[in-house]
Amino acid sequence: MIHTIVYGFTIGAILYFIAIGLSLTFGMMRVINFAHTLTYTLGVYMLVSLGALFKGYFVIAAMIAVVVVIPISYLIERCIIRRLYGESLDHTFIATFAIALIGVDTIKWIWGVLPYPLSDPIGEYLTIGGLTLPIYRIVIVMIAILLFIGLEFFFRKSIVGKIVVAALEDRDGVGCLGIDVDHYFSIVFMMGSALAALGGVLYAPISSVHPYMGLSILLLCFAVVIVGGMGNLRGTFVSALALGMIMAVTARYWSQGAETMVFIVMAIVLIFRPIDI
Amino acid sequence: MRERELIALLVIAGGFLLITPVLSVNRVTDFMIFCIFAMSFDLLYGYMGRLSFGHLLFLGTGAYCSGLFLKYISRNPMLAIIVGILVAGLLGMLIGLIIVRTTGACFALINLAFNHIGFFLVLSPLRRITNGEDGFGIHALPFGFLNFSSRTTMYWFVLICLVLVFYLLKRVTSSPFGILIRSIKEDETRVKFLGYNTFFYKWVTFVLAGSVAGLAGTLTALNYNYVNPNVMDVHGNVGAVFACLIGGAGSLYGAVVGGVSYMVISNYLPIYIQRWEMFLGFALLMIIFRFQKGIWGYLQSVWEYVERKKTVMKAIGVGAVKR
Amino acid sequence: MSDLISTQDLTKRFDGLVAVNQVNFSLQEGQVAGIIGPNGSGKTTLFNLLSGFFPPSAGRITFCGKDITKIPPHKRVGMGMARTFQLVSVFDSLTVWENLVLSTIRFKRDQQSVQSFFFAPARKRIVVDDCLKSLELVGLEKKASARTSELSYGEKRMLEIAIGLSLKPRVLLLDEPLSGLSDHEIGGVLDLIHRVKKNFALVIIEHKISKIVSVVKKLSVMNEGKILCEGDPEQVLRDPAVRECYWGKEEENCST
Ligand SMILES: Nc1ncnc2c1ncn2[C@@H]1O[C@H](COP(=O)(O)OP(=O)(O)OP(=O)(O)O)[C@@H](O)[C@H]1O
Ligand SMILES: [Mg+2]
C-alpha cells in the first residue's frame, strides 16, 4: 500500500510539473496549447544526448537540458502562440497541434524513432521497517512540494508573480494599467515550458523515452487542469496529486483502467462544473 | 432546386469514379468511408459550431456493434448495418443528454473523455467478447446479390451510401433546421428568444451526427472484415478536424473535398516525403494563418469575386450603351 | 381590463449589487409603455427577467394570467413575448431573409410538421414570401438576399425589430431601439412603431425621452433598481424626484 501511495505521488508530481504551464497559458491567454508537452519531450531528448556527454553527472545534464528548452519555447511563443490570442478554439487547436507535429517529427529526425532506455540515476533504495522504496521517486515528490511552495511565494511576493495573478483574473484590466501583459505572458510561457521539461527529465528514467511520449501524457495533463480549474495554481497542485493517486490505486487493482479512471473523473467534473470558453 | 441537388450528387459520385483508376478501388473505398465520417463531423463542428475531440466513439460503436452482431448473432450484413447505426444513435441519445449542455472546450474535452472510456471498454473489460487489442475477424454472408467480401461490391455499396448520406445531410442543412443549427453556432441565446428549445435541437444534431458516424463505422468493419480498438483510438479524431479545416468547415462539399485531401496527404505523402508530418504541420499552420476558409471556402470566394466582377462589368456596359 | 404582464416584488441580485429591487410593474393588453432611467438603473435587467434570460432572486412574474417565473425563455416566446436586445443581435453569418425564417415558420401550421422543418428546403415560396412581407414592413426587401454582415447598424436594428414582429407577439419588449442611430434612422424606427403599435402591447426602454413621449401612454422611471415614479408621461416628467435623478444629465430632454 505504501508503494502505491509513493507511486501515486510520483505520477502526481510529474503531472503537476507539466500541468502548471498548461493551466497558466490557458488562464492568461485563453489558448489551449496542444504543443505544451513538446517541451517535455524535448527536455527528455536533450537529457538523452547530454547524459552521454556528462556520464554520471545526471544533475548537470538534467539542468542543462531544462535550460536549453527555454529559448526554443521562446521561439514557439513568439512566432505562433502569441498570434493565436483571440482565435477560436479550433484554430488554436490545429495550430498548436501542428507545432507538436513539427516538433515530434524533428525529434524523430534527430534522434530516430526507437525508444531509448534510461536508468534510475540514483538507483538506491530506502528501507524503512521492511519496506523498500526507490529514493529517486521520493526525491521527485520532494522537488514537487518545494516547487509548489516556491511558486506560491513567487506568485504572492514577486512583482512578476503578482502581475500574472492579476492577469489571470482580468487580462484586459491589467492591460489598462499600462502593463504589457504579452511580455509577462512570454515569461510565464517559458517558465511553464521549463517546468514541463523538468517533469520530463525527472520522469524519463522511470518511464520509456519515445518521440510520442508527450502526446500520451498531454491528455492526462488536460484532465489535471480541468479538474483543478483552468488557471488555478493550487487547484492544479491538488488535482495533480489526487489524480496521480487515483491512477496508482486503480493501476494496483486493474492496470489497464488507470488512465480511463482519470477521464471518468474529468467527465464527472465537467458535467458538474462546466468551463466556458 | 431539385435539379441542382441531382447535379451535385452526380458530380460527387463522378468525382470519386474519376479518381478510382488513378488510386485504387481499395483506397477510394477507404476515402469514401472517411468522407462520410467527415461529413457527420462537419454537421457538429462546421454547422453547429461544436468541436468534438471524441467523434470516433460513434464510428467505433458502429464498427463494434455491427461486427459483434455478425460474429455472434446473425451473419446478415444489412441487419448488422442497421444495428450499428441504431446503437450508435442510441448511444448519442444517451450521452447527448449530458454532452450537448456544454460548449467550447468543455464540449470538446467531455467528448474526448467519453471516447477514451469507450476505447477502454472494448480493450479491457469487454475483452472476452471483443478480443481486446487483437480485435476479431468477421465474415458476412452475401445479401441478395450484394457480396460484401468482394472489393468491387463494397466499393459500389460505399459509394451509394456516401451519395445517400450527402443527400440526406444536404436536405437537412438547407432546411429551416439547418438555419437553426447555423444560428445556434453564432448565438445560441438569441435562438432561444426566437422561441426554440435549443437543447432539443442540439441533441437532435448530436444524435444525427452520431448515427451517420455509426454508419461509417459499420462500413469500416465490413470493408476490412475485421474490427480492432484502433477504429476508436482517441488520437484519430485529429483527422476529422484536419479534414474539415482543409476542405472548409460548414459546407458538405468542404467536408468531402477535405476528406479526400486529408486521406491523400496521409496515405501518399509518407511515400514521397520522409518528413511528411513536418510538412503537414507547416501546411496546417499556413491554413490557420492564411487560408482559414479552407479549399472549398477559397474556391467559393473566388467564385463570388468573379460573379461580382461580372455584374459590375454588366452595369458599366449597360450604362455605356445608354449614353 | 386585466393585466397582460405583472410582476410582484421582482428582485435580482448580482452578488452584492441589487440590480432590480422589488419592482411591481404592470402592463395592460395593447398598452404602450416606456421605461427610462439613468445608466445602470436596472432597465435591461428588468427586461432580462421578464423574458427569462435569467431567473429572479425573488418575486413573481405573471403573463396572460399565468405564473411564468420558472418558465424557460423559448416557452415565453411561444406564449407571445418577444424582445430585442440593447446591442443589436442578428445573425451576421446568415442572409437577411434567412434571419427571418425561424421566427416566421413558428406560426405556419403546415411548416410545423417534422418533415417540412427538417427536410424541406427553407428556400420555399411560402416561407420566402412571408419573410419578404416582414422585410417590406421595415423597408429592407431590396436587401433580402444580402449578407447580414453587410447591413448598416440602423438596418440591422430594423431587421431585429422585423424578427420581433414576425414572432406575432402579444407584447414586444424593445431595449433602446433608437440608440446609436442617426436622426434619419430614428425617424424610420419611430414611424414603424407608430404603424405597428395597435397590434400588440409594447414596452420601450429609451434614453431619448423626447422622441418617445408622443408614443407612450405610460412612463416608468427607474433608478437604482426601483421604480421611482410611474404614470402619465407629462406628469411623470414634471415630478421633482425624477428631475433630481436626471439632474444635469438629461436636462434638455426632461425639459421638453
Ligand atoms: N449579468 C450581470 N452580472 C453582474 N452584474 C450585472 C449583470 N447585468 C447587469 N449587471 C449590473 O446591474 C446593473 C443594472 O444594469 P442594467 O444593464 O440593467 O442597466 P440599464 O438600466 O439597462 O443601463 P443602460 O442604460 O446603460 O443600458 C448594472 O450595475 C450592471 O453592472
Ligand atoms: Mg440597458
Side-chain angles (χ1 to χ4, degrees):
Chain A
M1 198 62 215
I2 302 282
H3 262 126
T4 314
I5 292 175
V6 173
Y7 275 53
F9 275 133
T10 322
I11 300 172
I14 301 293
L15 289 178
Y16 174 59
F17 289 130
I18 307 170
I20 297 169
L22 211 54
S23 182
L24 284 173
T25 312
F26 179 76
M28 264 180 102
M29 301 300 264
R30 307 269 134 188
V31 168
I32 295 193
N33 183 9
F34 281 79
H36 182 63
T37 47
L38 177 62
T39 50
Y40 160 89
T41 321
L42 265 178
V44 174
Y45 273 92
M46 291 292 167
L47 177 72
V48 167
S49 293
L50 293 166
L53 266 175
F54 297 89
K55 274 211 179 0
Y57 297 97
F58 177 81
V59 179
I60 298 178
M63 268 166 26
I64 299 178
V66 172
V67 171
V68 170
V69 165
I70 292 178
I72 298 173
S73 70
Y74 177 74
L75 278 182
I76 294 177
E77 197 273 331
R78 242 320 150 57
C79 302
I80 317 276
I81 307 280
R82 183 165 294 187
R83 292 200 196 183
L84 293 172
Y85 177 65
E87 285 277 351
S88 60
L89 172 72
D90 42 329
H91 291 154
T92 51
F93 162 63
I94 294 292
T96 52
F97 199 87
I99 304 170
L101 273 181
I102 296 170
V104 168
D105 212 35
T106 315
I107 288 172
K108 285 203 284 189
W109 199 354
I110 302 176
W111 283 282
V113 284
L114 296 177
Y116 280 87
L118 276 180
S119 56
D120 184 336
I122 298 181
E124 291 191 9
Y125 291 82
L126 188 67
T127 318
I128 322 168
L131 271 172
T132 48
L133 297 169
I135 292 183
Y136 185 63
R137 286 183 181 254
I138 297 176
V139 170
I140 292 181
V141 178
M142 289 300 181
I143 296 178
I145 294 172
L146 284 180
L147 180 72
F148 175 69
I149 297 170
L151 280 180
E152 278 287 298
F153 265 101
F154 173 73
F155 284 111
R156 289 256 203 89
K157 299 281 182 239
S158 75
I159 295 288
V160 179
K162 281 181 183 172
I163 291 173
V164 171
V165 170
L168 285 174
E169 252 235 343
D170 182 358
R171 185 180 187 279
D172 295 332
V174 174
C176 289
L177 297 176
I179 294 168
D180 183 5
V181 180
D182 288 354
H183 174 69
Y184 289 91
F185 175 69
S186 276
I187 298 175
V188 167
F189 188 86
M190 286 188 278
M191 207 171 81
S193 301
L195 288 176
L198 177 67
V201 164
L202 290 176
Y203 194 43
I206 48 176
S207 67
S208 60
V209 179
H210 57 94
Y212 292 99
M213 61 191 290
L215 285 182
S216 38
I217 205 158
L218 178 68
L219 296 182
L220 290 177
C221 293
F222 267 126
V224 168
V225 174
I226 300 273
V227 173
M230 296 257 190
N232 178 348
L233 290 164
R234 268 176 237 174
T236 307
F237 183 68
V238 174
S239 85
L241 290 189
L243 288 179
M245 198 54 76
I246 287 175
M247 277 180 81
V249 171
T250 318
R252 186 183 150 105
Y253 297 104
W254 193 13
S255 63
Q256 279 140 330
E259 278 191 26
T260 307
M261 208 59 200
V262 172
F263 289 105
I264 292 176
V265 173
M266 173 172 106
I268 294 172
V269 168
L270 279 177
I271 291 165
F272 288 105
R273 196 196 58 203
I275 47 172
D276 47 291
I277 330 168
Chain B
M1 207 61 206
R2 278 285 147 112
E3 281 154 34
R4 274 184 64 180
E5 272 172 10
L6 201 64
I7 292 173
L9 296 182
L10 286 178
V11 167
I12 288 191
F16 278 107
L17 287 176
L18 268 182
I19 57 173
T20 312
V22 186
L23 308 173
S24 73
V25 172
N26 291 356
R27 278 258 155 83
V28 176
T29 313
D30 257 6
F31 285 20
M32 290 190 294
I33 295 176
F34 182 74
C35 284
I36 294 177
F37 180 66
M39 282 193 282
S40 84
F41 181 81
D42 198 37
L43 186 66
L44 271 187
Y45 165 58
Y47 282 91
M48 204 169 66
R50 298 290 187 273
L51 175 63
S52 161
F53 292 158
H55 203 49
L56 274 177
L57 172 66
F58 297 103
L59 188 137
T61 307
Y64 264 95
C65 289
S66 58
L68 292 173
F69 182 83
L70 284 172
K71 192 175 174 202
Y72 293 107
I73 300 172
S74 144
R75 289 164 76 185
N76 182 334
M78 278 302 168
L79 276 182
I81 291 178
I82 292 171
V83 166
I85 297 174
L86 281 184
V87 177
L90 278 175
L91 181 72
M93 288 183 190
L94 209 70
I95 62 174
L97 289 177
I98 301 171
I99 292 182
V100 299
R101 287 172 202 280
T102 61
T103 48
C106 188
F107 183 86
L109 294 172
I110 203 165
N111 269 296
L112 177 104
F114 276 109
N115 192 345
H116 211 283
I117 294 167
F119 180 75
F120 170 70
L121 279 180
V122 298
L123 193 67
S124 180
L126 300 177
R127 139 165 275 140
R128 287 247 303 287
I129 52 170
T130 63
N131 201 17
E133 62 216 64
D134 296 332
F136 57 91
I138 50 179
H139 182 66
L141 290 178
F143 181 82
F145 60 93
L146 284 173
N147 176 13
F148 282 93
S149 40
S150 141
R151 293 261 135 230
T152 25
T153 314
M154 202 61 218
Y155 172 83
W156 287 107
F157 185 73
V158 173
L159 182 62
I160 290 168
C161 283
L162 176 95
V163 169
L164 285 181
V165 166
F166 187 90
Y167 178 70
L168 173 81
L169 292 184
K170 191 80 206 157
R171 285 297 289 264
V172 166
T173 50
S174 49
S175 71
F177 174 71
I179 295 183
L180 178 70
I181 56 176
R182 275 152 65 201
S183 308
I184 288 179
K185 174 181 183 175
E186 195 174 328
D187 186 350
E188 188 184 337
T189 321
R190 190 69 182 90
V191 179
K192 282 186 196 155
F193 287 101
L194 295 179
Y196 289 87
N197 182 1
T198 50
F199 173 78
F200 174 71
Y201 294 101
K202 286 191 292 180
W203 182 76
V204 169
T205 315
F206 191 77
V207 173
L208 181 61
S211 316
V212 175
L215 170 67
T218 60
L219 294 177
T220 313
L222 283 174
N223 188 29
Y224 290 115
N225 288 318
Y226 180 74
V227 186
N228 76 355
N230 279 343
V231 290
M232 58 167 124
D233 186 354
V234 183
H235 297 100
N237 286 301
V238 178
V241 189
F242 283 4
C244 283
L245 273 178
I246 294 173
S251 144
L252 291 174
Y253 298 100
V256 172
V257 172
V260 173
S261 319
Y262 176 74
M263 285 306 259
V264 169
I265 293 175
S266 61
N267 277 297
Y268 288 95
L269 209 54
I271 302 177
Y272 299 107
I273 307 175
Q274 207 206 341
R275 302 257 74 88
W276 73 280
E277 281 181 321
M278 191 178 288
F279 180 85
L280 183 62
F282 281 115
L284 287 170
L285 284 181
M286 273 295 282
I287 291 180
I288 294 301
F289 290 121
R290 288 280 171 273
F291 303 100
Q292 286 198 349
K293 284 191 268 175
I295 298 175
W296 187 258
Y298 185 72
L299 288 180
Q300 240 174 355
S301 46
V302 169
W303 174 256
E304 253 168 47
Y305 176 78
V306 172
E307 285 285 295
R308 279 203 179 185
K309 206 161 180 191
K310 245 192 240 163
T311 44
V312 170
M313 288 305 228
K314 223 183 243 167
I316 295 172
V318 169
V321 171
K322 265 186 191 163
R323 237 175 250 165
Chain C
M1 210 197 285
S2 72
D3 285 347
L4 183 62
I5 297 182
S6 69
T7 70
Q8 285 94 47
D9 293 335
L10 200 62
T11 303
K12 180 73 189 177
R13 285 182 214 100
F14 294 116
D15 299 324
L17 180 94
V18 188
V20 168
N21 194 354
Q22 301 196 326
V23 164
N24 292 301
F25 177 80
S26 66
L27 183 77
Q28 267 140 38
E29 200 93 46
Q31 196 175 31
V32 181
I35 302 179
I36 60 172
N39 289 106
S41 53
K43 306 180 296 291
T44 301
T45 309
L46 178 62
F47 265 22
N48 285 343
L49 291 171
L50 290 178
S51 60
F53 193 87
F54 37 53
S57 314
R60 290 194 321 133
I61 309 166
T62 322
F63 180 52
C64 302
K66 279 203 206 98
D67 185 346
I68 58 162
T69 318
K70 294 212 165 64
I71 286 186
H74 64 268
K75 290 218 179 112
R76 300 189 197 198
V77 178
M79 292 168 71
M81 187 189 292
R83 72 170 289 184
T84 65
F85 289 82
Q86 183 164 349
L87 291 172
V88 166
S89 96
V90 289
F91 300 104
D92 276 347
S93 59
L94 304 180
T95 59
V96 173
W97 72 271
E98 279 174 335
N99 263 283
L100 283 157
V101 168
L102 292 178
S103 49
T104 303
I105 59 168
R106 274 188 62 83
F107 297 94
K108 292 191 76 74
R109 276 267 158 266
D110 52 319
Q111 286 298 306
Q112 291 267 313
S113 76
V114 173
Q115 202 271 336
S116 58
F117 184 75
F118 285 95
F119 299 110
R123 188 190 279 273
K124 245 190 333 198
R125 259 267 89 74
I126 38 172
V127 180
V128 177
D129 277 353
D130 276 4
C131 294
L132 284 180
K133 239 177 256 160
S134 302
L135 285 175
E136 259 165 45
L137 199 61
V138 298
L140 280 176
E141 70 278 7
K142 290 230 173 60
K143 305 225 168 166
S145 52
R147 275 206 178 283
T148 310
S149 50
E150 290 162 10
L151 296 188
S152 71
Y153 191 76
E155 286 167 335
K156 283 187 190 174
R157 171 130 298 147
M158 280 302 215
L159 177 60
E160 193 182 12
I161 297 176
I163 293 174
L165 293 177
S166 66
L167 285 169
K168 306 246 170 7
R170 295 181 71 175
V171 57
L172 179 61
L173 311 175
L174 297 174
D175 197 345
E176 304 201 14
L178 307 182
S179 73
L181 304 190
S182 71
D183 276 351
H184 179 68
E185 289 165 334
I186 287 177
V189 175
L190 285 177
D191 183 47
L192 177 65
I193 291 176
H194 274 292
R195 267 185 288 145
V196 298
K197 70 177 181 195
K198 62 181 181 299
N199 300 332
F200 43 78
L202 198 59
V203 185
I204 308 174
I205 293 180
E206 194 44 71
H207 280 298
K208 301 191 173 70
I209 303 163
S210 55
K211 306 275 185 196
I212 59 162
V213 159
S214 59
V215 188
V216 300
K217 292 276 145 357
K218 180 184 129 183
L219 190 63
S220 316
V221 181
M222 285 190 77
N223 192 24
E224 295 181 353
K226 288 207 159 117
I227 292 193
L228 201 65
C229 168
E230 206 167 29
D232 181 65
E234 300 288 327
Q235 268 166 11
V236 167
L237 291 178
R238 251 180 264 128
D239 190 310
V242 174
R243 297 201 146 236
E244 194 188 317
C245 96
Y246 265 91
W247 185 66
K249 190 164 152 273
E250 296 247 3
E251 191 148 44
E252 72 273 53
N253 278 337
C254 284
S255 55
T256 44

